[in-house]
Amino acid sequence: MANSLTLSMDYDGIIKLDHFNFNRVVSERKFLPILFYELGCEDPCKIIRKYEEAARILHTENPELLLAKLSLFETVNVYRVHYLKISSVPVIKLLRSVGGAKEVEDYNGPYDAQAMIDCFKRLSPPFPAIINSTDDANKFIQHKTVIVGVFPELSGKDYVNFIVAAEKLKWDYDFCVTLDAKHLPLGESPVSGRVVRMFIPFDDGFVDTQDFNVDAIVRFVKERSTPLITDCGHHPQQLIDYILADKKNDKVMLFINASCKGADKYHLMYSEVAKKYRGQGLIFMVCDFQASQTLSKYFGHLASTHPLIVVKNARGGDYMRRTIEADELDTWVNDYKAGKIARFGISERTPVEYNELVKVVVANTYWGIVMESEENVLLGLYRPEFGNCCSKFHSVLIEVAKHFKDKNDDDIIIAKLDVSVNDVLSENRYDVRIKKDRPTFCLIPSDGGYMSTYSPDDFTAQVIIDYINNCRYNPSKERRTSTEEGMVSSSSSSSSSSSSSSSSSSHMDSSSAEDVDYVDRPAQGMISSSTSRMDSSSAEDVDYVPAHELNSSDDEKNRIDRS
């Protein structure tokens, strides 16, 4: 078998499947990840590249764990799209042998190469991994969260329920089983009969349950896999980074220094709040500004206002109460859960004069100037640290504004916003992401249609003018209807306007329709709950802190990049 597989491998160590060898290879493997793709298919998440990188590493480190790929470009392979329920490419599917039958499921893990490798290792048979010795235990349990089922035999209702729970949680946790608890670390702690023991890198090192109901096991793992309160000054940095990377739960953080008056009362009241809301989608953390550098990077500029409580919403929003009293902690968290707390953000001072050719937009004025405008709006997003590119950005916007002013075109507003000191688009309300090294341009059409974004490697005034003319709302001209080509439809069409649009597009070196990203924009005056991080429908429901109140330029450097 090994020789036959080797012959069909490419240079990445990936088995190249085709119409002739697909059934044979699949039948020979108990576990096989397969990448389905088409030549030239769009791959914004770099799935193909990451998959190939993972394959190269595995081919060296663990050659028995093989990865495969199948091109759907070939007509003879297309029928597998329906058989394997493939709706888009690229996509990774896992083929597993379960009870003698082949099962197919989507890969729902992360797309980082090393994270892929960890997932494939964890899910490869046997799953869950079997601990038969102390060496096995030391291999699987290495200062991380691992759930081990201890059973007298690998059968029975309790064992089946454990396997079902493991299947539900397999993308996020490591599972093992053993027939002898003496193989496990902390073996001096007696284990009687069947038990689920979860090893955790904090507190006492492990926690047990003997409730083998599937839902009870799932709830036990989710609730007890993190501490009641994570102390950022004492718990391992690895745990803190893991919690901050969690995208499913809101992080509640109490910032308080040990020298704070009444610190013991704060910790006592905070513990009661954590117990009350445990298992309700909240993870509780406590941070000493003086002891933890990691969390201080997020809110270090507010150190002078402690005790401070902050919630980092799973959707990305920040909610905050400065100089809070210990007795107010429970009420504030309860109000947050009820959606009564305004989102926290930073805004520059509102400009006094708005008559400039290029309007300066800040967080406080963003909604009124941009989203509720009756004109088309070109909004340029930038950071001062872009350097020379930033200088060019400002001059180009002025030139663009003069162009439309000279043409007496009053249906376009040219504006700019510094995202480093304004928390508006940096919250990804419409999935708009400014590039790390260059400005991003957004065109918000006056008809409430698609908002487009454009981040060219190089740009001139003419390029931006053409971009505006292609994407703005103009009822007198045809608007292309294909969302794949990134244009917005309208009810009228004419061949003359089509050629005009095509000619205009030719001036844009890299701004063809395929290079412009379009994002749904809510109707004017409303916020879409599916795209906004704000729990309220009011654009004013934001607690903005003036950017000029930041303590120093050093504090500003320590602020995390919110975009």
Side-chain angles (χ1 to χ4, degrees):
M1 180 182 71
N3 291 335
S4 62
L5 292 181
T6 302
L7 292 174
S8 58
M9 279 188 182
D10 66 8
Y11 67 93
D12 289 315
I14 303 178
I15 303 173
K16 298 180 66 175
L17 299 177
D18 54 35
H19 176 67
F20 302 101
N21 66 6
F22 183 90
N23 291 335
R24 173 177 59 84
V25 173
V26 168
S27 65
E28 291 174 345
R29 307 299 301 179
K30 293 183 178 180
F31 175 77
L32 185 65
I34 303 177
L35 169 68
F36 294 88
Y37 69 101
E38 288 182 350
L39 295 178
C41 64
E42 294 185 5
D43 187 15
C45 296
K46 306 293 189 295
I47 295 174
I48 297 175
R49 181 169 63 83
K50 297 295 185 181
Y51 187 83
E52 291 174 345
E53 182 182 346
R56 285 194 294 271
I57 296 173
L58 279 174
H59 187 59
T60 301
E61 296 181 354
N62 191 349
E64 292 299 317
L65 181 52
L66 299 175
L67 308 187
K69 64 181 180 181
L70 175 68
S71 172
L72 297 179
F73 183 77
E74 301 175 30
T75 305
V76 291
N77 294 328
V78 171
Y79 80 96
R80 303 194 190 279
V81 169
H82 305 287
Y83 170 68
L84 297 173
K85 298 180 179 179
I86 298 173
S87 58
S88 63
V89 292
V91 65
I92 300 173
K93 297 278 186 176
L94 302 182
L95 274 67
R96 305 168 63 197
S97 295
V98 179
K102 294 291 183 182
E103 289 190 356
V104 181
E105 62 179 318
D106 292 331
Y107 172 78
N108 293 318
Y111 287 106
D112 174 75
Q114 187 56 52
M116 280 188 189
I117 292 171
D118 293 340
C119 273
F120 295 152
K121 287 181 177 180
R122 182 164 65 242
L123 299 178
S124 61
F127 176 81
I130 300 176
I131 296 176
N132 291 317
S133 66
T134 302
D135 290 339
D136 288 343
N138 293 333
K139 173 185 175 182
F140 293 120
I141 305 170
Q142 298 176 349
H143 305 291
K144 60 181 180 179
T145 300
V146 180
I147 301 93
V148 181
V150 181
F151 302 95
E153 57 185 1
L154 301 183
S155 61
K157 181 179 179 180
D158 290 346
Y159 173 76
V160 171
N161 285 353
F162 178 80
I163 297 300
V164 172
E167 286 286 340
K168 289 177 176 287
L169 300 171
K170 64 188 177 184
W171 299 108
D172 300 308
Y173 301 93
D174 291 321
F175 284 84
C176 301
V177 293
T178 185
L179 299 175
D180 191 345
K182 293 180 180 179
H183 297 320
L184 304 178
L186 306 173
E188 65 277 6
S189 302
V191 174
S192 176
R194 298 174 176 83
V195 67
V196 176
R197 169 163 290 188
M198 180 162 60
F199 291 90
I200 47 181
F202 52 85
D203 295 345
D204 295 329
F206 70 93
V207 61
D208 294 341
T209 182
Q210 291 183 308
D211 188 342
F212 282 92
N213 177 274
V214 173
D215 292 337
I217 295 175
V218 171
R219 185 169 57 252
F220 164 76
V221 171
K222 289 184 176 181
E223 291 183 4
R224 304 305 295 274
S225 57
T226 56
L228 178 64
I229 298 177
T230 301
D231 189 333
C232 298
H234 296 88
H235 283 118
Q237 184 62 46
Q238 181 182 5
L239 173 65
I240 297 171
D241 293 341
Y242 170 79
I243 292 174
L244 292 177
D246 184 291
K247 302 297 184 182
K248 300 178 182 178
N249 298 289
D250 298 350
K251 273 72 71 177
V252 183
M253 295 174 280
L254 176 65
F255 292 86
I256 185 171
N257 291 341
S259 58
C260 175
K261 183 179 179 180
D264 291 342
K265 182 179 180 180
Y266 276 95
H267 285 287
L268 178 62
M269 298 297 293
Y270 193 57
S271 295
E272 293 301 319
V273 174
K275 291 176 183 177
K276 179 179 178 179
Y277 293 98
R278 186 169 199 170
Q280 298 185 35
L282 298 178
I283 296 177
F284 289 85
M285 310 175 74
V286 64
C287 176
D288 187 327
F289 278 116
Q290 300 171 347
S292 175
Q293 297 180 357
T294 302
L295 265 285
S296 295
K297 289 181 180 179
Y298 284 78
F299 303 101
H301 55 281
L302 298 171
S304 61
T305 64
H306 74 87
L308 165 74
I309 188 169
V310 175
V311 173
K312 287 196 70 66
N313 190 280
R315 297 186 302 277
D318 297 334
Y319 301 79
M320 181 188 69
R321 169 70 184 276
R322 293 178 283 181
T323 57
I324 192 171
E325 298 292 334
D327 295 333
E328 297 174 322
L329 291 171
D330 189 8
T331 301
W332 191 88
V333 174
N334 185 67
D335 286 347
Y336 166 75
K337 291 285 290 182
K340 298 179 181 179
I341 303 299
R343 183 174 52 83
F344 156 76
I346 294 176
S347 175
E348 288 184 288
R349 286 176 173 171
T350 302
V352 177
E353 186 61 53
Y354 282 107
N355 295 326
E356 297 90 345
L357 278 172
V358 179
K359 293 185 181 296
V360 178
V361 177
V362 300
N364 279 326
T365 61
Y366 165 77
W367 194 262
I369 295 178
V370 178
M371 299 312 297
E372 292 186 338
S373 174
E374 295 182 356
E375 293 83 25
N376 297 285
V377 179
L378 176 81
L379 181 64
L381 309 177
Y382 71 98
R383 295 190 185 95
E385 57 265 31
F386 286 161
N388 292 334
C389 184
C390 190
S391 300
K392 179 181 178 181
F393 165 80
H394 294 298
S395 61
V396 164
L397 283 186
I398 292 174
E399 190 175 344
V400 171
K402 287 180 178 179
H403 168 84
F404 286 101
K405 183 179 180 180
D406 293 343
K407 288 183 172 291
N408 294 319
D409 188 343
D410 56 0
D411 192 39
I412 181 72
I413 293 175
I414 308 299
K416 62 184 178 182
L417 182 143
D418 181 354
V419 299
S420 68
V421 285
N422 290 284
D423 290 335
V424 179
L425 287 179
S426 57
E427 71 184 23
N428 298 330
R429 179 177 294 153
Y430 306 101
D431 290 333
V432 176
R433 291 178 172 83
I434 184 170
K435 297 293 184 181
K436 297 294 183 183
D437 58 349
R438 59 187 184 273
T440 293
F441 300 92
C442 303
L443 195 289
I444 301 91
S446 58
D447 66 341
Y450 289 98
M451 177 169 71
S452 63
T453 64
Y454 175 43
S455 301
D457 293 326
D458 191 18
F459 55 89
T460 62
Q462 187 59 51
V463 166
I464 302 305
I465 291 169
D466 291 338
Y467 164 63
I468 293 172
N469 289 331
N470 279 335
C471 301
R472 67 185 295 183
Y473 173 66
N474 191 335
S476 66
K477 292 185 177 182
E478 177 195 25
R479 311 247 336 261
R480 294 168 65 188
T481 60
S482 173
T483 57
E484 291 182 356
E485 296 178 348
M487 306 304 288
V488 187
S489 64
S490 69
S491 58
S492 63
S493 75
S494 69
S495 60
S496 61
S497 62
S498 294
S499 63
S500 174
S501 174
S502 175
S503 174
S504 174
S505 178
S506 65
H507 292 291
M508 303 170 65
D509 298 334
S510 60
S511 62
S512 63
E514 290 78 3
D515 292 326
V516 179
D517 296 323
Y518 284 80
V519 186
D520 281 323
R521 174 198 182 195
Q524 293 181 353
M526 297 295 291
I527 294 180
S528 169
S529 60
S530 64
T531 55
S532 173
R533 296 189 323 178
M534 299 174 63
D535 295 332
S536 169
S537 62
S538 171
E540 301 300 323
D541 202 10
V542 182
D543 179 19
Y544 283 113
V545 173
H548 66 274
E549 289 186 4
L550 299 179
N551 295 331
S552 69
S553 60
D554 290 337
D555 288 332
E556 178 59 24
K557 291 177 182 177
N558 287 332
R559 286 189 62 230
I560 192 166
D561 180 5
R562 292 165 179 259
S563 60

